[in-house]
Amino acid sequence: METFVIEGGHRLSGTITPAGNKNAALPLLAACLLSDQPVILRNMPDIADVRVKVQLLQSLGIECSWLEDNVLRVHAATINTSEPDIALARRIRTSILLAGPLLVRTGRAVLARPGGDSIGHRRLDTHFLALVALGAEVEVTKQAYELHTAGLVGTDIFLDEMSVTGTEQAIMAAVLANGTTTIVNAASEPHVQDLCRCLFAMGAKITGIGTNTLQIQGVSRLNGTEYTLGPDFMEVGSFIGLAAVTGSNIRIANARPEEHRMTRIMFGRLGVTWQDEGPDIVIPGDQELRVRDDLHGVVPKIDDMPWPGFPPDLMSIALVIATQAHGTVLIHEKMFDGRLFFVDKLLSMGARVILCDPHRAVVVGPAKLFGERLTSPDIRAGMALVIAALCAKGTSIISNIAQIDRGYQRIEQRLAALGARIERRPAE
């Protein structure tokens, strides 16, 4: 068990480059099973969740090797078993994404209930409804999901919700199904688009990429390919928030600014501004963070929704920014019923937040934050606490940082390069 020791109250400066998109990396690793040829994935983030997923593939007999930093080669020439390692599967949420590829390659899959962040109930029904529509049979037990099929057949699927991983599951099962599949009410986040583009490069026939309706013409086989992941959307949003609350001038290189139009709107309600310079985002220092009321002085709201709406993974960051902005704002987390439970840790630092219920918090700012002993409850809340500690007065110690390591690559080294006073230490 390690901790981050953070001395807050210092301005940062410089350039930081986001790592590859975690939420693209994990489904792309599952997609490698769809071909018996090598797939080389570039800009792969070296984070704990990716390492666990790689081990999970290796437990199936799949060859995985790092060719160099952030370049991974996966070769699923043969698959030795349809039952991924139970202990590994329970450590990450996206272990469930092996269901479709295993059904396609072996006709069978036995998967333990997946792990992941404790941010409330996260239903998996959409996955299985899509697989059943394509011709799979599913048996649900208390500890596992057992699936088999004599062959998947293309069909028309209307997803019961815009589930990101549910959409990814349906896409991977459909690309090698017999016939045409139409997926309506599909998620269209940047990482879903990355998955589609990689599969397209492997020979899949997919149209409608980036929209909520996908049409997939099944093919008989997929080839190997090389594919470069896009930047991690959540890291970019996190670094924007970090610059804003610490009054720092930071350039985020290769940030895909076009993906942050809604981030600009929501963070803008807190007074955060930045400039797009080609592929980079530049946040000026010494911004005056001030809540922008709605018409007639109405308290504004920051809420999340499916893409292209504001992503739920940035709600924790928005809440921390709100603690430093003049005015009152409502944070409304619609999509997960446990995401806001980290608020108690901000309260211990001096934040003025009223947690109305599991989905709504009223934030009154600005509040002077002070260093505190904290525990990271999940990936995104963990990064939010790092940001809060960096703008607080005094020293904070954050434990359970393995949660942060799951999603952020060597974050303390990258922030230290900007001038942050942050160290990784063994737990006391």
Side-chain angles (χ1 to χ4, degrees):
M1 297 292 292
E2 296 175 312
T3 64
F4 283 149
V5 179
I6 300 172
E7 182 182 310
H10 302 282
R11 292 183 181 175
L12 316 179
S13 64
T15 300
I16 190 166
T17 301
N21 190 339
K22 165 187 179 288
N23 288 334
L26 298 171
L28 282 173
L29 286 171
C32 292
L33 274 66
L34 294 168
S35 174
D36 60 5
Q37 300 299 308
V39 176
I40 296 175
L41 299 172
R42 300 185 179 277
N43 200 30
M44 282 289 288
D46 184 11
I47 54 177
D49 273 14
V50 165
R51 292 193 292 270
V52 172
K53 192 68 172 280
V54 167
Q55 293 174 34
L56 196 56
L57 298 191
Q58 291 171 330
S59 77
L60 301 173
I62 296 166
E63 298 178 14
C64 301
S65 57
W66 292 95
L67 303 182
E68 56 185 271
D69 287 349
N70 305 113
V71 180
L72 181 67
R73 180 182 186 270
V74 181
H75 191 189
T78 58
I79 298 176
N80 296 337
T81 176
S82 300
E83 302 184 20
D85 181 89
I86 293 174
L88 292 170
R90 287 177 175 167
R91 290 174 60 184
I92 53 173
R93 171 78 174 174
T94 60
S95 59
I96 196 66
L97 288 178
L98 295 174
L102 284 174
L103 282 174
V104 169
R105 288 290 300 273
T106 72
R108 180 173 178 269
V110 179
L111 293 156
R113 294 181 65 176
D117 286 335
S118 297
I119 54 175
H121 176 62
R122 304 171 76 183
R123 68 195 295 272
L124 295 172
D125 303 54
T126 305
H127 292 251
F128 299 118
L129 290 169
L131 293 174
V132 168
L134 288 163
E137 295 185 23
V138 181
E139 180 182 352
V140 179
T141 67
K142 185 176 181 180
Q143 300 298 332
Y145 308 102
E146 300 182 11
L147 305 92
H148 64 273
T149 183
L152 300 180
V153 179
T155 188
D156 181 66
I157 302 173
F158 190 100
L159 298 180
D160 64 336
E161 64 175 343
M162 284 186 180
S163 164
V164 169
T165 53
T167 299
E168 292 165 346
Q169 187 83 264
I171 292 168
M172 289 189 286
V175 290
L176 291 173
N178 183 24
T180 300
T181 298
T182 301
I183 305 173
V184 183
N185 200 35
S188 58
E189 276 76 357
H191 25 286
V192 178
Q193 296 178 41
D194 259 348
L195 173 64
C196 289
R197 293 190 183 104
C198 181
L199 289 170
F200 186 84
M202 295 169 69
K205 296 182 178 180
I206 306 174
T207 59
I209 297 172
T211 76
N212 301 118
T213 300
L214 299 170
Q215 189 167 71
I216 301 170
Q217 177 65 50
V219 297
S220 59
R221 68 187 303 273
L222 294 180
N223 304 311
T225 192
E226 293 192 23
Y227 187 78
T228 301
L229 281 69
D232 193 307
F233 182 95
M234 306 311 165
E235 277 205 357
V236 175
S238 299
F239 298 150
I240 292 171
L242 170 64
V245 300
T246 57
S248 302
N249 188 329
I250 293 177
R251 175 182 292 269
I252 308 172
N254 299 318
R256 280 191 186 172
E258 67 276 8
E259 295 180 351
H260 289 275
R261 298 176 70 182
M262 185 59 76
T263 311
R264 187 189 296 275
I265 291 172
M266 291 299 181
F267 282 6
R269 291 177 183 173
L270 302 172
V272 182
T273 64
W274 65 83
Q275 291 79 47
D276 299 338
E277 295 187 3
D280 300 351
I281 286 175
V282 180
I283 307 97
D286 296 322
Q287 298 192 56
E288 181 184 12
L289 301 182
R290 185 173 296 277
V291 175
R292 296 175 183 170
D293 292 342
D294 286 349
L295 290 177
H296 308 294
V298 174
V299 172
K301 176 176 65 173
I302 293 176
D303 53 355
D304 56 347
M305 61 192 78
W307 183 265
F310 189 62
D313 282 355
L314 288 181
M315 291 295 284
S316 304
I317 308 300
L319 200 154
V320 171
I321 299 172
T323 69
Q324 301 306 296
H326 292 263
T328 301
V329 66
L330 172 65
I331 303 292
H332 190 181
E333 165 57 88
K334 298 175 180 176
M335 300 178 67
F336 297 100
D337 54 16
R339 176 82 70 181
L340 298 182
F341 286 157
F342 84 107
V343 163
D344 62 332
K345 305 178 193 314
L346 295 178
L347 292 174
S348 72
M349 299 178 76
R352 295 192 291 170
V353 183
I354 301 169
L355 187 60
C356 306
D357 55 45
H359 293 277
R360 296 177 301 163
V362 175
V363 185
V364 181
K368 291 184 178 179
L369 301 184
F370 298 90
E372 184 61 274
R373 287 184 173 269
L374 307 163
T375 301
S376 170
D378 62 69
I379 298 173
R380 305 307 175 187
M383 186 61 191
L385 292 177
V386 168
I387 293 171
L390 285 168
C391 75
K393 180 179 180 180
T395 299
S396 296
I397 299 175
I398 303 177
S399 60
N400 196 31
I401 62 171
Q403 288 285 353
I404 303 172
D405 290 338
R406 289 178 48 216
Y408 292 87
Q409 176 178 308
R410 295 186 289 277
I411 192 62
E412 78 284 3
Q413 297 177 23
R414 297 159 67 205
L415 294 182
L418 297 175
R421 301 189 185 184
I422 175 172
E423 295 181 23
R424 180 185 296 261
R425 294 182 185 174
E428 297 177 1

